[in-house]
Amino acid sequence: MVGVLLGALASLQPTEPDPLANLELLDRVAEKGWLLSTSQLAPLLGLKSLHGAEFCRYGFRFTRVGRNGAESAWRVGKEK
């Protein structure tokens, strides 16, 4: 399901990029409790890779919670 959402988001090419699109997607991921792999999450944050067990950015907390295949799995939560 997350892959479908990311694919749909990537296929949209608006005339002007929506600066809130990634934040809205992260909000939905947090709400649904989905886990994202590093290769799914890093581009949403504008990063090439993710390091550490936990970090915060853009009002979200990202916590490494295990493996998603060969990659790390990340839980997305909202900062309070």
Side-chain angles (χ1 to χ4, degrees):
M1 181 66 162
V2 173
V4 171
L5 285 172
L6 292 174
L9 186 61
S11 68
L12 296 176
Q13 295 184 1
T15 54
E16 292 183 28
D18 181 359
L20 300 178
N22 287 358
L23 297 177
E24 290 172 351
L25 181 56
L26 289 172
D27 188 49
R28 184 160 184 209
V29 168
E31 179 184 306
K32 297 287 188 178
W34 294 328
L35 300 179
L36 297 180
S37 64
T38 299
S39 64
Q40 292 171 319
L41 181 57
L44 290 174
L45 301 174
L47 302 172
K48 292 190 186 250
S49 61
L50 304 175
H51 301 285
E54 184 174 271
F55 64 97
C56 298
R57 186 171 259 195
Y58 308 125
F60 294 93
R61 179 175 300 276
F62 305 95
T63 307
R64 185 176 292 171
V65 293
R67 305 295 291 174
N68 204 1
E71 300 181 57
S72 293
W74 295 87
R75 174 172 288 120
V76 180
K78 292 183 186 181
E79 281 286 279
K80 300 199 185 231

